[in-house]
Amino acid sequence: MMKQEYRTALIAGAPSQLARELALWLGEKGVRVYVAARDPEELEPYLARARDSGAQLIPVELDTTRVESARERILALDEECGGLDLVVAAGMYEETSARNFPWESAHHLLQINVTGTVALLSAVLPRMLKRGRGHLVGISSLAAYRGLARRSAYSGSKAFISNFMESLRAELWNTPLRITCVYPGHLRNHHAVRAHPEPFALEEKDAAARMGRAILQGKARCALPWQPALVMRLMQVIPGALFDRLARHMR
């Protein structure tokens, strides 16, 4: 794998605190990071931390549910900064109950996790290919490995991201571009009040640092924490009938 320098990065993560922690981590490594949000004022706590640590974080107003305007903004930003070296597309988490399916919430989640991710990454892909450098990162989830109860829209959207990134990597293997898919599990800040806490849940700063190291190393995949990642990999190979019984009790 050729060494690749990262001067500029764009991180679009909807309300994802993990994505913003990743932006801070990269900024502290000397990367000029553009952090996208529908409301840039939401980023102020992270911008304050960046100022204290010397990281260069630049807020960008971006709504990936408005696909055409979002793509135009990304291309303009790519032009302004002399070419984005790294683009990370995260997303959002929300449970969906099959017994009272919330279509509007599910539709919004799919717009962000699926349409928004593809719009973001595909916008800069042709330019990266032309420049002969660049790194695209999609944030999937351990929930992408198998369909989980109460997460039908979320698991489905992340399974799409997993296959989308894998297909890009398969086609672009002989180009200088790097393609990474990250599979984070439950994070402690997100699940502190859950009735069934995850014993191996990571703090968001720790998870962001692990993700950041994997990205800078050019890894194709990064699943964390490793303990639940191993469990979910095993779930992929067990018989469907056995998985159906186990999935009823998974939280």
Side-chain angles (χ1 to χ4, degrees):
M1 179 76 66
M2 294 175 59
K3 180 177 176 56
Q4 188 161 308
E5 298 295 333
Y6 295 85
R7 302 168 298 104
T8 58
L10 169 64
I11 297 184
S16 170
Q17 293 181 7
L18 178 59
R20 296 171 186 181
E21 290 290 349
L22 176 62
L24 274 170
W25 188 89
L26 289 168
E28 291 170 358
K29 298 293 180 290
V31 182
R32 186 167 75 254
V33 184
Y34 298 90
V35 190
R38 280 184 292 176
D39 181 4
E41 290 185 4
E42 297 175 357
L43 301 173
E44 185 52 41
Y46 296 88
L47 299 177
R49 286 172 55 191
R51 289 191 289 269
D52 292 340
S53 66
Q56 190 176 2
L57 263 61
I58 304 168
V60 175
E61 185 174 353
L62 188 72
D63 184 354
T64 55
T65 64
R66 299 180 177 180
V67 175
E68 294 307 321
S69 61
R71 286 174 61 87
E72 290 175 4
R73 181 69 186 96
I74 293 162
L75 292 175
L77 179 62
D78 184 73
E79 196 77 34
E80 292 166 13
C81 73
L84 291 162
D85 298 317
L86 171 66
V87 177
V88 180
M92 64 176 291
Y93 172 82
E94 187 170 337
E95 294 190 3
T96 47
S97 170
R99 298 179 183 276
N100 185 22
F101 195 83
W103 161 244
E104 290 185 357
S105 296
H107 183 225
H108 181 64
L109 182 146
L110 293 172
Q111 281 184 306
I112 291 175
N113 288 3
V114 176
T115 308
T117 294
V118 176
L120 178 73
L121 299 182
S122 65
V124 294
L125 176 57
R127 292 187 177 186
M128 285 184 170
L129 284 170
K130 187 175 181 179
R131 290 193 290 261
R133 60 179 172 84
H135 193 163
L136 300 179
V137 178
I139 307 298
S140 182
S141 167
L142 294 184
Y145 288 161
R146 295 296 298 251
L148 300 179
R150 296 172 301 282
R151 298 172 181 83
S152 54
Y154 180 74
S155 288
S157 71
K158 293 304 185 178
F160 174 92
I161 297 305
S162 175
N163 282 277
F164 177 72
M165 301 306 293
E166 197 166 68
S167 294
L168 290 181
R169 187 167 54 251
E171 185 172 351
L172 301 174
W173 68 271
N174 60 346
T175 73
L177 268 62
R178 290 177 171 180
I179 307 294
T180 298
C181 191
V182 182
Y183 301 83
H186 293 321
L187 302 177
R188 189 160 293 134
N189 285 8
H190 288 170
H191 297 268
V193 296
R194 286 177 64 90
H196 303 278
E198 289 290 328
F200 301 111
L202 295 173
E203 296 286 351
E204 286 167 338
K205 288 181 67 174
D206 185 17
R210 297 188 191 196
M211 286 171 50
R213 287 192 291 270
I215 289 169
L216 295 187
Q217 291 167 7
K219 290 187 176 181
R221 302 170 186 82
C222 172
L224 53 95
W226 70 265
Q227 298 94 334
L230 177 60
V231 171
M232 291 305 294
R233 287 194 189 100
L234 292 174
M235 289 291 183
Q236 286 184 301
V237 298
I238 65 174
L242 176 57
F243 172 78
D244 289 346
R245 289 198 294 272
L246 292 173
R248 296 167 193 156
H249 306 287
M250 294 176 68
R251 296 290 186 270

